[in-house]
Amino acid sequence: MTDVVRVSKRLSYVLRHHPDSVGLTLDAHGWVAVEDLLAALRLTRAELDAVVAGNDKRRFALDGTGTRIRASQGHSVPVDLGLAPAVPPGELFHGTVERFLTSILAEGLRPGNRHAVHLSPDRETAERVGARRGRPVVLRVDAAAMARDGVVFTRSDNGVWLVDAVPPRYLTRL
Ligand code: HQG
């Protein structure tokens, strides 16, 4: 694991799940002062900037002034990302693994520990998400039908589609 990946994982842990573990508190929208984060994690600004800029999924976002930072999605602590409802593409994808399928097809996609169910804009991305846990299985989500039925979608700063839940009738195994 490279240093950048190590720091990225540490930032995900702190900014999504356990800010308290290093004595930080996120504001209501998930932001923390860059200065406080650097002090808490003993990082230099250059090290932080390398992780933010080099991150494969743009997991972290600086505010307009570059003085505050937050995770773009994936939180388990309560934050309001302030994302506006957005119209999804006709179909979205979810990557998972075989062992979850019986449950998913019975009760639909649930957010688990996170705030929202994460959906990918394309099949390849969903395969990568599923592959974190084993041989990937990709589900097609009929986002057009969900939107038509009044489900609210938001899109995170890094292009992940977020929704509260996906009932099984909108899912098809690919
Ligand atoms: C499964 C990573 C049983 C679901 C990724 C998944 C993504 C169910 C797991 C982002 C279920 C939740 C999110 C049900 C859902 N019964 N299992 N009813 N409903 N599941 O990690 O979508 O690198 O919370 O299929 O790339 O895997 O962190 O969600 O396997 O973008 O930036 O429960 O996390 O991004 O797992 O991944 P997760 P996810 P980062």
Side-chain angles (χ1 to χ4, degrees), residues 105-124:
L105 293 176
E107 60 184 39
L109 291 169
R110 300 273 173 94
N113 292 330
R114 309 197 199 228
H115 288 179
V117 171
H118 289 222
L119 302 175
S120 305
D122 56 75
R123 195 171 171 168
E124 295 68 37

Side-chain angles (χ1 to χ4, degrees), residues 7 10 22 35-45 47:
V7 173
R10 187 99 199 280
V22 291
E35 204 181 324
D36 295 347
L37 181 70
L38 296 180
L41 297 186
R42 299 205 197 130
L43 289 174
T44 65
R45 178 74 202 222
E47 286 167 329

Side-chain angles (χ1 to χ4, degrees), residues 8-9 12 16-17 55-60 73-74 94-97 99-120 125-126 128-130 132-133 137 139 158 160 162 166:
S8 173
K9 285 184 180 291
S12 287
R16 292 171 172 177
H17 309 298
N55 202 267
D56 56 344
K57 288 171 72 183
R58 292 182 293 121
R59 291 183 178 87
F60 314 104
Q73 36 66 224
H94 180 83
T96 188
V97 283
R99 65 182 184 276
F100 295 153
L101 271 191
T102 309
S103 162
I104 289 173
L105 293 176
E107 60 184 39
L109 291 169
R110 300 273 173 94
N113 292 330
R114 309 197 199 228
H115 288 179
V117 171
H118 289 222
L119 302 175
S120 305
T125 306
R128 277 199 300 278
V129 172
R132 287 149 60 233
R133 297 200 159 81
V137 172
L139 300 171
N158 60 342
V160 177
L162 305 170
V166 181

Side-chain angles (χ1 to χ4, degrees), residues 61-101:
L62 292 162
D63 70 0
T65 63
T67 57
R68 295 186 308 162
I69 186 169
R70 73 177 181 185
S72 295
Q73 36 66 224
H75 299 80
S76 58
V77 294
V79 296
D80 169 13
L81 292 173
L83 302 171
V87 179
E91 55 179 27
L92 288 167
F93 301 88
H94 180 83
T96 188
V97 283
E98 193 75 45
R99 65 182 184 276
F100 295 153
L101 271 191

